Amino acid sequence: MTDSQRALPAPGILYALLAYGSWGLLPLYWKLFGNTPAVQVLSHRIVWSAVFLIAVLVIQRRMDEFGKLWRSPRLLVTLLTSATLLSCNWGIYIYGVNAERVVETSLGYFINPLFSVLLGCVFLGERLNRWQIFAVVLAAMGVANFIIDLGQVPWIAFALAVSFGLYGLLRKIAAVQPMAGLAIETLLITPIALGFILYWQAAGTGQFGNSLPLTLLFIGCGVITSMPLLWFNNAAKRLPLTTLGFMQYMAPTLQLLLGVFLFQEPFTRTHLISFSLIWIALAVYSTNAFLKTRRSP
């Protein structure tokens, strides 16, 4: 192995830190919108993300990828479905942050990897070994403890895990380039989002243009949505999947820390037990995945 090959992971680690770090700190951005309705923030996020992603594809001269996808009706149907799931995920996350339930949103993204394992087992015929089964059972115990002790279903966490897990499943089946695929997804639902924005503006309830800071925040939704994806794509090209798998927990960990220490959300004994079970489950699952990769030729 040459020195240049050894140095290759360094930028990959940096890109991964930027991607997962920015995703983990997103609650700080959504909090800036104050009492702005989540659906209005979501609509602007969709529209400005579409604008930004198309601009990136034009600059990178990758519109041919975009054109090929646009000419495939079957892929368009799949991407429209995945776009709906992604929009639900984005909207629920924004709502959860501004409803002061950041801790619960972090729970959803901790559960998500293990939910994705179950989806792979059910829909893709993937088999779980005994350690993976153990991890899933531990996570289920953590969620059950939350429901039994607090007497409520963490619906935001469930909705985030399910919507993003199903989104990932569809994107795996579709097998399209991440950047072009996301551009198509956002563009497919942009007419609906734009229609809502124009209606709110005409009715006088739209907040776009009310103040320069808020307007810039709306436009910035496209940047803060798309840049982490660009960083993630660069990280994925340079790092092993197992390394990315370990680092993905950085985002919900940061969200949890923000919720508890900055936003002063409650973190009770029940939260501690539930999160501990899920953290152990993730440690078991990630270690097992790492060892399987090391044993592979």
Side-chain angles (χ1 to χ4, degrees), residues 15-290:
Y15 282 125
L17 288 173
L18 287 170
Y20 289 123
S22 58
W23 280 326
L25 296 175
L26 265 182
L28 295 174
Y29 192 86
W30 303 132
K31 284 286 187 180
L32 296 175
F33 285 96
N35 295 324
T36 305
V39 67
Q40 196 166 143
V41 178
L42 171 64
S43 297
H44 280 280
R45 186 180 188 182
I46 291 169
V47 171
W48 294 109
S49 293
V51 171
F52 186 84
L53 288 166
I54 295 298
V56 170
L57 289 174
V58 170
I59 293 171
Q60 294 182 346
R61 298 181 180 179
R62 294 171 57 187
M63 288 301 290
D64 55 330
E65 298 175 17
F66 182 88
K68 289 178 182 178
L69 292 177
W70 199 255
R71 291 190 294 271
S72 173
R74 183 177 178 181
L75 277 177
L76 286 178
V77 171
T78 301
L79 289 175
L80 179 59
T81 306
S82 64
T84 303
L85 288 168
L86 186 61
S87 299
C88 291
N89 183 271
W90 284 356
I92 294 166
Y93 181 59
I94 294 169
Y95 168 79
V97 170
N98 289 339
E100 299 183 351
R101 297 171 72 174
V102 176
V103 171
E104 190 175 336
T105 65
S106 72
L107 176 64
Y109 288 116
F110 276 122
I111 296 172
N112 172 248
L114 296 174
F115 180 70
S116 295
V117 171
L118 283 177
L119 289 177
C121 181
V122 173
F123 293 101
L124 302 179
E126 298 174 358
R127 294 185 178 183
L128 302 181
N129 60 39
R130 62 178 183 274
W131 291 109
Q132 291 173 322
I133 294 173
F134 179 58
V136 171
V137 170
L138 277 179
M141 289 171 59
V143 175
N145 177 73
F146 191 97
I147 295 173
I148 293 170
D149 281 12
L150 295 183
Q152 63 184 40
V153 176
W155 71 267
I156 290 179
F158 272 128
L160 289 174
V162 170
S163 59
F164 202 72
L166 291 173
Y167 170 76
L169 176 66
L170 283 178
R171 286 302 300 268
K172 184 177 179 65
I173 294 173
V176 299
Q177 292 295 322
M179 187 62 60
L182 185 61
I184 291 283
E185 286 171 340
T186 53
L187 199 62
L188 284 172
I189 50 179
T190 287
I192 299 174
L194 188 59
F196 277 124
I197 291 171
L198 293 176
Y199 170 77
W200 291 321
Q201 293 298 122
T205 56
Q207 299 188 31
F208 186 79
N210 284 2
S211 68
L212 180 60
L214 188 57
T215 300
L216 291 176
L217 283 175
F218 280 131
I219 296 174
C221 286
V223 178
I224 61 100
T225 297
S226 306
M227 286 306 296
L229 181 65
L230 287 170
W231 292 327
F232 175 79
N233 286 339
N234 279 289
K237 292 176 183 177
R238 294 168 169 82
L239 295 176
L241 189 59
T242 49
T243 303
L244 282 176
F246 277 113
M247 295 186 71
Q248 73 176 311
Y249 305 122
M250 175 183 173
T253 300
L254 285 173
Q255 293 168 17
L256 176 63
L257 293 174
L258 286 175
V260 175
F261 294 107
L262 183 61
F263 304 137
Q264 300 294 305
E265 294 184 14
F267 192 77
T268 64
R269 179 175 175 272
T270 299
H271 285 88
L272 179 60
I273 294 174
S274 295
F275 272 88
S276 295
L277 287 169
I278 293 168
W279 286 330
I280 294 171
L282 291 173
V284 170
Y285 172 74
S286 298
T287 302
N288 177 254
F290 177 74

